[in-house]
Structure formats: C-alpha cells, structure tokens
Amino acid sequence: DSRAADRRVDSVCPYCGVGCQLTYQVKDDAILAVEGRDGPSNRNRLCVKGRFGFDYPRHAARLTMPLIRKPGVAKALDPDFDPANPSSHFREASWDEALELAAKGLVDLKTTHGPAALAGFGSAKCTNEEAWLFQKLVRTGFGSNHVDHCTRLCHASSVAALMECIGSGAVTASFLQALEADVVVLIGCNPAVNHPVAATFFKQAAKQGTRIVILDPRGQALDAYAHRSLRFTPGGDVALLNAMLNVIVTEDLVDHDYVDAHTEGFAALAEHVRELTPEVMAPSCGVDPQAIREVARLYATAERAMIFWGMGISQHVHGTDNARCLISLALACGHTGRPGTGLHPLRGQNNVQGASDAGLIPMVLPDYQPVGDAQLRAAFEELWNTPLDETPGLTVVEIMDAIRDGVIRGMYILGENPAMSDPDLEHARAALGQLEHLVVQDLFVTETAQFADVVLPASAWPEKDGTVTNTNRQVQLGRQAVPLPGQARPDWWIIQEIARRFGLGWDYAHPREVFAEMKHGMVSLDHITWERLEREGSVTYPCPADDAPGWDVVFGDAFPTASGKARFSPTVPLPPDEPIDGDYPTVLTTGRQLEHWHTGAMTRRARVLDDLEPEAVASLAPGELRRLKLVPGEPVTIVTRRGRITLRTRVDPGMTEGMVFVPFCYAEAAANLLTNPALDPYGKIPEFKYAACRLSPG
Ligand code: SF4
C-alpha cells in the first residue's frame, strides 16, 4: 500500500541508459513502490522494469556476508548450486578475513608475475565514483591498464567510430531532440523493448508529424508508428548504408556548405560509394533498390533529421564500419549540431556512459585520454602521485584469452557476470575456472561468483549514494533509500579497502569526495558539482557555467578533433564472420526482453518481472515454426559450432524466416553458449548479432 509510506526518496532507475528519475516509497526501511519523477529524460514516465523491478535487493539469495571458497570445491558451474544456500561451496567470513585473503591473493600474483598478471572488470552498473575508484585501483595498485567493463560488449564499436570521425564518443544530441526532428531513423535498435521510455518520445514525435524510418532485420512494436519500415538481411547493414550514401552523392543531395565548412575527406567518400548503387548492394542487404532510394532521399532532404542506433549496429565484426556509415550519412547531409539533428547510439546500461567517461576502459584514462600520450598521462600521474603504465590494456574478450594463455592469473570482478555475458561461454567459463585467484564483488552468488575464491557482498542501487550518466549525457544523482542488509557494504568502501591492502593511502569518507577528485581529471564535469546535483537532480555535460543548463545538442560550431572538422571514413561491405551454410543454415541473433535486464541477476529476482517472463523462449517466424513442424510452446534445440541449448518456442510475426532470436538472460538456456566470439577489429566487440546455427524440434 503506497499510501502507507513513511518516507519518499528521489533517485534514478538502475536499469537502462534512459536514466529515468524515480521516487522510492519507503516504509520500515523497505521499498513499497516506485513512481516516476519529472526527470529530464522521463517526464514522470517509467517502464515495467523501473516500476516493478525494485524488490531484488531483498531476495532470499541476497549476499549479506563475505564468502570464502571451501577447500577442494571445483571452480566450475555446478547445476545443483543454490545461490540462496551457498554453504555447499563457500563458508562465511568476517570482512577482515575476506579482505585480507582477497587482496593477498592479488598482491602475491603481482609480486611473483608482475602487474600484467592481474586484470579487473568493473561494471556499467557502477556509479561514476565507483568506476573512477575501480580503474584507479587497477592503474595505480595493480599497475596495468587491464581494466574494462561491459561497454566492450555493447557500444565499443560505436565509440571507436565516433572518436575517429567526430572526436567524441558521446551522443551529439539527446533523444528528446527527436521531438524537434522532421525525420528520425531508427536502425539496429528496438526501443520499445530496450529503451521503453525513449520509445514513448519517438511515438510522441510520430504523432506530432515526425516521420519515423525503421531499418532492421526484425519487425518491432514501433513499426506501427513508422512512415517507412524496411527489413534488411542480417549482416547486410554496411551494404544498405553505402547504397544510401551512393544515392545521396549521385543525386547530389549533399549539404555542400556544411561539408565544406565542417568536414574533411568527403571527396574520397564520394568516390568510394560511386559504384555502390542500390542495385549493386541489393543482393547483400535484401532491400528493394527503389525503397533504398526513397529512404535516402527522405533523410537527406529533411530540414532536421536524427539517427538512433542500438546493438543491432554495434555487435558485429563490422560494427565500427556500421557506425562510420551512419556518421557519414549525418555529415553528408549536415544533420548534426542543430536542434532536431544528431547522432545517438542508444546506450544500454544505466551508467555505461559514465563508467566509460570515468576511465573504465583499457586504452584510455578518464575523459578518453589515451594512455599512450605522455603529456595527458602526466596529468593523471600528478593527480594520483604515481607513475602509470603507457601500454593499452586488454579488453574483455582478450582478457579471457590471456587467462587461457596463462598470462592473466588473477582478477577482481565488480558487478560483471562474464560467465553469462561473454560470447562462447564454454571458453569464458573455462578461463574463469583457470584463474589462480578470483575476487567477485556482487549482490548475489552469480554464475561468475561461483568461480570466485572470495565473494564480497556489495550494495544495490537503492542502498547507495552516487552519480550516474545516462544516454543523453545527463549526470544524475542517485540517493540511498534503504539500509544495506547484514554485512553488505558500499562498493566504494570495498574498493578502498582492497586499495589500502595494495599500499594505497586512500581515505575517502563519502562518494562526494570521490566526485570532487574526478573533477580535477575530467573537464567534462566542469560546472557540475555534487551540491548542484543535490539541488537540481540532473545536469547535462558539457555545461558552460555554474548556473547554466548543459548543452543538449553539441558540435554546432566545431568538432573536438585536431582540425575542428569531422572526418568521413569510407567502408567496404564484408560478410559476417560465420556466414550461414548447409550445416548451419539459420541466423542466430541475441538480445534483451522488455522485462529482463542483461544476465538476469537483478530482474529474475524481481517477483513481478520474473512472473511476467519466467522462462527462456526462442522467437521464430510463423513460417519457420511450420517448417520445423512445431506449435508455439514446443521445445526447439539450437546448435552452433560452440554449443547447444534447448528452450521453448514463441511465435513472433516480426521475425524473418531463416532467423531465431534468443534472449541472453536465462542461465538455464544461456544464449552465449552459442554466440561467436569473433571481434570487430577496432572496437573489439564480439559478433553477438550473427551466428550460424541449426534448429531441430525437441
Ligand atoms: Fe528504467 Fe530504462 Fe525503464 Fe526508464 S526506460 S524505467 S531507465 S529501464
């Protein structure tokens, strides 16, 4: 009964990058209900996860004591392990004992094998302050740059392309600018499922007259609001986008004034796409040439147009090329830097933007300063009073390979679940089992924590103070609403205790002190203070003054590149890493469901959400089900070159025949047992969106 609440605490949703502001209704230190608040990205709206996914912190399996692995227990996933009764594998320990053991194992490996033997995975669920502290610990305590997080599995390729072409990895305009746009292109994203409140703004825009263009291999709910909706062949995106560029160049729909004033490299791009006509590209992308022409003309001739994309673009071996094409489209047509224009990779986790900004990335320091740049590195060496490694570290999937090769021997994993989220799980799980020392800090004994030597009980989002940065570059303040259960501790405190055992003299008393330090290393936080966030709740970066709002749209005058101009980057359409063939004739693609979040550690422990979607399902087109002689609900087995799973079928008229979609949140039918670990060469992101598979009934 929400009317019985004895206090109300304003905070931010812990799930997706939309960053909805919400209010917890609390009674007797328990959350009774959640309501939407008038935040800049949600205007009182919430989706089903934000509204009902709040009770996971009180789940019976919640970690409330540090755990230490019992001697002789194998480091492997045990199907009979019960996270609510971990005593079969772990014993409870005091904080002193657990911290000593956790740190000693890491310190000993560093002493014996050097800094390169250790690595850390942070999380895009970390607050900005936790992310800052975690990467600082790896860089100044472990002594290497082997620190990464799940942005590697999400938008690393988008960021690689954006950094290369426009000098900044963040969005150029918030999704609210869709309301000002004449045309909005949604490609490789499914906002009604993955960014549901952002989707409500797209619907609102459509009702106001904005023409929505949806480009995707799979149909989706927003098709009902679309002016045009084109399905392309999985993996055919670079071909489709080059064909659109060809139309814009050959029909001279280019904004020459903009191109001359703000870009370089256009002549080479124009030359490159001249032969890539819609007719030439149609066999690769599967779209009618006339439809390609119409969509290209619609985008190019709009007064104001935006492009939004998701992991359907980024999670390919050609993910960076996909994003380069989208940037080229926007630059060629002058669709950046003004209201109603821009490039917007819809960010996944609630703090993937902030955790990346704060330096949870192996090749860059905070604010994307390359670790190899001596001058930029010197600024952080002075701030942290210690020399830093100049060698870029390994990425998420590379770290797993380095474990198998005996190079990485010890890890500290905070809030990540690579035993569920990495591609080719058999390989990833074997690597985790091979680690000589693994420390996992989390809310539950996750699949990854089952491999740990020490498990440290962490803080859930409603139990901590901290800042978080959403897909719109809005820095927002989350506030503690309820106390920590049992012996669980704030994450910043745990990281600090590990750091102290590495001999680092840290003495932070509250996240606001960490935020104050971050401001010395991150110009992106200029004019944003903890006090201002307490007062205003949200401030967009970059922000020009202490009393000014931040910029919703950026790069109207110049881009943050050496020349101030953006660069075109031509691309060549290439096939997927593992094309379908006679043995594996069906395309497997993976993603999220509306009700569940990533590996399901939180949402599968939220009662309402789990009731809504309790079981793994494979979505198939009606014709595909008929071909398999299955009725919806009957099981199907999916086999790839790496593994097999069996799960129930669900009919989805939006699916294309020859494809199957599997969500990756179900441990009992883990989609990533099947996925291909092949990496995009620039962003180092795996090809989650395309693997060749074989389907059979039962
Ligand atoms: Fe939370 Fe995203 Fe849903 Fe908003 S749209 S309530 S941020 S999951």
Side-chain angles (χ1 to χ4, degrees), residues 315-525:
Q315 289 178 334
H316 287 282
V317 289
H318 54 264
T320 303
D321 281 346
N322 271 337
R324 285 172 175 146
C325 289
L326 297 174
I327 296 164
S328 290
L329 281 170
L331 296 177
C333 303
H335 286 327
T336 65
R338 294 175 290 119
T341 69
L343 291 157
H344 191 124
L346 286 154
R347 310 310 297 263
Q349 292 268 17
N350 70 333
N351 200 32
V352 68
Q353 183 65 58
S356 302
D357 297 344
L360 217 49
I361 297 181
M363 56 291 280
V364 292
L365 292 155
D367 261 358
Y368 307 94
Q369 313 292 308
V371 295
D373 186 313
Q375 201 178 342
L376 298 172
R377 201 172 59 249
F380 284 93
E381 289 174 332
E382 190 181 338
L383 179 64
W384 294 334
N385 199 25
T386 187
L388 296 172
D389 187 7
E390 64 181 24
T391 313
L394 298 174
T395 60
V396 164
V397 179
E398 290 173 333
I399 285 172
M400 290 299 164
D401 291 339
I403 299 170
R404 298 302 300 270
D405 294 341
V407 177
I408 301 280
R409 295 164 181 267
M411 283 196 73
Y412 180 14
I413 299 179
L414 164 54
E416 289 269 283
N417 194 4
M420 278 291 287
S421 60
D422 266 34
D424 190 6
L425 281 182
E426 195 89 2
H427 173 87
R429 290 172 180 176
L432 290 170
Q434 201 178 313
L435 283 168
E436 292 169 38
H437 189 67
L438 174 60
V439 180
V440 173
Q441 181 173 323
D442 215 313
L443 303 179
F444 306 99
V445 184
T446 59
E447 290 74 16
T448 299
Q450 288 187 48
F451 293 87
D453 295 276
V454 184
V455 186
L456 304 173
S459 45
W461 188 253
E463 299 161 357
K464 60 182 162 192
D465 295 323
T467 66
V468 63
T469 308
N470 71 2
T471 191
N472 289 338
R473 292 182 269 100
Q474 289 154 344
V475 184
Q476 311 201 89
L477 190 62
R479 296 178 177 88
Q480 182 173 7
V482 291
L484 283 148
Q487 291 294 309
R489 290 284 181 271
D491 291 88
W492 68 265
W493 180 91
I494 304 171
I495 302 166
Q496 173 159 284
E497 289 300 316
I498 297 286
R500 285 175 170 173
R501 287 162 174 80
F502 267 82
L504 303 173
W506 294 8
D507 193 23
Y508 305 99
H510 188 273
R512 69 164 63 82
E513 295 178 8
V514 182
F515 190 81
E517 179 181 302
M518 292 169 66
K519 288 173 58 61
H520 292 292
M522 297 175 66
V523 292
S524 62
L525 296 179

Side-chain angles (χ1 to χ4, degrees), residues 13-20 45-51 195-198:
C13 176
Y15 293 109
C16 90
V18 171
C20 296
R45 308 167 199 192
L46 290 178
C47 80
V48 67
K49 288 189 291 292
R51 190 169 297 282
H195 301 84
V197 167

